[in-house]
Amino acid sequence: MSFIQIKDVVKSFGDNTVLKNIHLDVEQGEMVTLLGPSGCGKSTLLRAIAGLNVIDSGSVFIDGKDVTAIDARHRQVGMVFQSPNPLPLSLRKNMILPLELTLGLKRDEAEGRMEKSLRDVGLWDEVKDRLNRHAASFSGGQQQRMCLARTLALEPDILLLDEPTASL
């Protein structure tokens, strides 16, 4: 069985059916790109995999487990969106809060993961002296890299990227 398996997924918004009996199999470690015109359902499918969109019918399996009805917080899926979406908090709290609330990490471990992931996206040297500044005070590109770092710090089993370089 594939690591991610989409079976007969249907998702409509009012009278507009965006996903029509979609099937997709993705093996563990495989990278897949979804291509198509605006409005064809790429983002909707990613949000369905992440558990952010409730689907009308069909099933989503991750690692052989039916996660269709499982809350997004319990899927081990990280998603980075096209537009930066920092929390209305400092950069430090944007990074630390999800690690403490979602993973239950202690402050020092969360700080270590924060630094590592900010280094991984090439942001640490730019922000290390400004971690307590409000996230919205950083440039759009810096905010986008912070959102990517925040997701990477969670160490998700699946990483979904919905045009995350649009602001860079």
Side-chain angles (χ1 to χ4, degrees):
M1 179 177 254
S2 300
F3 190 70
I4 301 173
Q5 193 170 42
I6 308 301
K7 291 183 176 180
D8 296 314
V9 167
V10 175
K11 175 63 180 172
S12 298
F13 296 98
D15 292 337
N16 183 21
T17 302
V18 179
L19 302 177
K20 301 173 187 171
N21 297 314
I22 300 296
H23 294 269
L24 177 67
D25 291 305
V26 180
E27 300 302 323
Q28 189 164 12
E30 186 176 20
M31 287 197 278
V32 174
T33 301
L34 302 176
L35 297 173
S38 292
C40 74
K42 301 178 301 289
S43 296
T44 301
L45 180 60
L46 293 178
R47 292 176 62 83
I49 294 167
L52 301 173
N53 277 354
V54 176
I55 58 176
D56 300 331
S57 63
S59 302
V60 176
F61 292 85
I62 296 176
D63 199 14
K65 181 178 180 182
D66 186 348
V67 297
T68 308
I70 294 178
D71 187 84
R73 293 173 292 178
H74 305 293
R75 291 193 187 196
Q76 291 298 308
V77 175
M79 186 161 175
V80 181
F81 301 91
Q82 180 175 354
S83 298
N85 58 347
L87 301 169
L89 304 167
S90 70
L91 188 146
R92 172 179 268 114
K93 287 185 180 177
N94 261 274
M95 296 294 298
I96 299 297
L97 195 60
L99 294 168
E100 291 176 335
L101 295 178
T102 305
L103 302 180
L105 298 183
K106 300 282 188 226
R107 177 63 53 119
D108 57 338
E109 186 177 357
E111 291 268 349
R113 278 205 198 184
M114 173 188 69
E115 181 177 340
K116 180 190 181 312
S117 65
L118 288 171
R119 284 185 186 281
D120 288 346
V121 300
L123 194 55
W124 178 251
D125 290 335
E126 296 175 41
V127 302
K128 66 183 175 187
D129 296 327
R130 301 180 293 156
L131 294 172
N132 293 319
R133 280 185 47 194
H134 198 277
S137 70
F138 292 91
S139 73
Q142 289 172 322
Q143 288 180 42
Q144 189 67 353
R145 287 188 286 157
M146 184 269 299
C147 291
L148 177 59
R150 181 178 63 197
T151 301
L152 292 173
L154 293 167
E155 299 178 356
D157 293 337
I158 298 168
L159 183 60
L160 303 174
L161 305 172
D162 191 1
E163 298 186 54
T165 59
S167 298
L168 302 182

